[in-house]
Amino acid sequence: MTIFEDNELYIEKEPSQIPWLKIFTKEPYKELGDVPKELRMRLWEVFDVVEDEMKKYYNPKKINMASFANMLPRVHIHVMARFEEDSYFPNPMWGEKLRESNLNLPDEKEFHKRVKKALESL
């Protein structure tokens, strides 16, 4: 599900029990170093907004950021709000599940609206 898009970037929601967004460049650059400098700087600016909104809205224990791009070989950044009570914490979300968990989190649609509004005001 796309929650934000402009002419250079888009943000998708990753289906998960935790708040998890992925920031993509529209051009399918293979490596971060292949991204033109101005767009790379913008990518980090967008990351900063997503991280800030995630911290303010969900008050997580930690924000995780990752960019492996092994399965999907194009530039994209994962931004995840982590909670001590989530099913994998402290492991990565791709790691071993440690417990069953039922997080009671605020409405994600409201979070998506806040992210979109913050990005539109850049």
Side-chain angles (χ1 to χ4, degrees), residues 1-15 19-27 42-54 74-80 108 111-120 122:
M1 176 175 110
T2 301
I3 66 159
F4 174 81
E5 183 172 3
D6 65 18
N7 60 341
E8 298 178 311
L9 303 166
Y10 63 97
I11 298 175
E12 290 183 350
K13 175 197 176 317
E14 177 72 13
W20 182 344
L21 299 181
K22 298 181 294 187
I23 308 166
F24 290 87
T25 57
K26 281 202 168 173
E27 187 72 30
R42 180 144 187 277
L43 183 63
W44 291 117
E45 183 178 40
V46 168
F47 167 79
D48 287 344
V49 168
V50 170
E51 179 188 51
D52 185 56
E53 291 297 325
M54 202 173 265
R74 60 173 296 166
V75 171
H76 64 287
I77 297 173
H78 297 261
V79 188
M80 300 162 269
E108 73 177 353
F111 168 64
H112 296 162
K113 286 179 193 174
R114 289 174 185 228
V115 169
K116 185 176 180 184
K117 183 178 178 182
L119 291 171
E120 288 173 345
L122 283 180

Side-chain angles (χ1 to χ4, degrees), residues 30-31 67-76 78:
K30 185 176 178 184
E31 306 295 345
S67 181
F68 300 111
N70 295 331
M71 300 295 287
L72 181 62
R74 60 173 296 166
V75 171
H76 64 287
H78 297 261

